[in-house]
Amino acid sequence: KGMATPRKAGIPLGVMKLLEPRQLKPDSTETERILTVLDETIVKLEITRLILQIMGSLERYSRMLGPEITSSLLEHQKLSVEIQHLLTSPGDEESKRAVEQRLKCSVRNILRLFMANPLLYHGLKYEVRVRESPADVFIKAFMEFRDFTLESLLTSPDEEKQKIQFMEDISCRVEKNTETISALQEKLAAIIQTRDEEVNRKDKTIENLKTSIENLAKNCKTEIWQIMREGEKQRKEDEEASQERCARLEHDIQRLEAQFNALVLEHRASELVLRKEKCKVEREIPKWVQKYDTDMAAKQATYEEVEAVYKEEKEQLSLLMEKHALLLQEYTLIEEERRILKEKEEEAAREEARREAAATCIQAIWKGFLVRSIYKSILKKGRGRGRGK
């Protein structure tokens, strides 16, 4: 159980593909978008790491950077000095926040200018010598995160589970084989130690017997000879039994090594099959790449046609906008003239109304004066007639 290989030994093909090194290529639009965001973030981090070194020698790189980027870097340098001054001296928190916001906007603007000119960034990357800093560690960690994210995106949950299960099976097998070999080696060492102890004990016994023999040589030669023969026989029997045990243990070790070698050969055979399949897949990859290039070329041609039509319509729109601006200006002037004329007409109407009211008032006064004059003349005539009578 748990000692199988692909096809012959039962290792899943998908798991072996996961264990093989492969070219990491995005397989979906979402993956490409995620990788594009991560790559742009790495480039922005590297550009941010270059900004301080470039600002330290701005005159040296000003011709390469151009006026727009140079002025942006000068403004960023001023903001950096200002924020350092505000941080070292107690002041208004609102001013600090405002300067920090301007500094962030300045960094975003500089990154936008560098991202718009990738050739300039690559040239500065090899031109500017940047000292090692904690930012390098962060950028390296972010790159590793990018590779880990790509590997995670290209590995399905089923493949990940198969890979983990396969590694667990291999670990269990290696652990079992190691435990078996360790147990056999411990057993062999214990047997050898027991044999050595027994031999040492026998040697001591023999030495003791030799001493006794020397003391009793004259009186016990026959008995001494018999004891030595029995001791030698017992020692030979013990050595033979020990050798048999060692041979048996060595045979077990050889058998386990043969099984291990057989497994290695079997795994190598499955590895050869998997490598052939890998080569077949790698031969098919250029065909897919060529097909991708053809499709992208067709889409690029379509895009260029649409862009040409868009530019033409944009030029027409620009002309129409200019005409609209002229007509709007003329319309504004006409409306202003109409307003002024209307105000003049209203003022004339008001003046005419004032004049009519004044004329009416004058006429009423004049009529009243005439009536009073006539009435006075009539009264005078009446009085004259009365006096004549």
Side-chain angles (χ1 to χ4, degrees), residues 32 288-304:
E32 292 179 356
W288 288 103
V289 171
Q290 184 178 4
K291 182 180 178 182
Y292 171 78
D293 294 337
T294 304
D295 295 340
M296 291 304 297
K299 291 181 179 180
Q300 182 66 27
T302 305
Y303 171 75
E304 291 176 355

Side-chain angles (χ1 to χ4, degrees), residues 107-118:
V107 172
R108 286 197 294 268
N109 185 37
I110 292 171
L111 291 176
R112 178 181 59 79
L113 294 175
F114 274 103
M115 293 297 290
N117 193 354

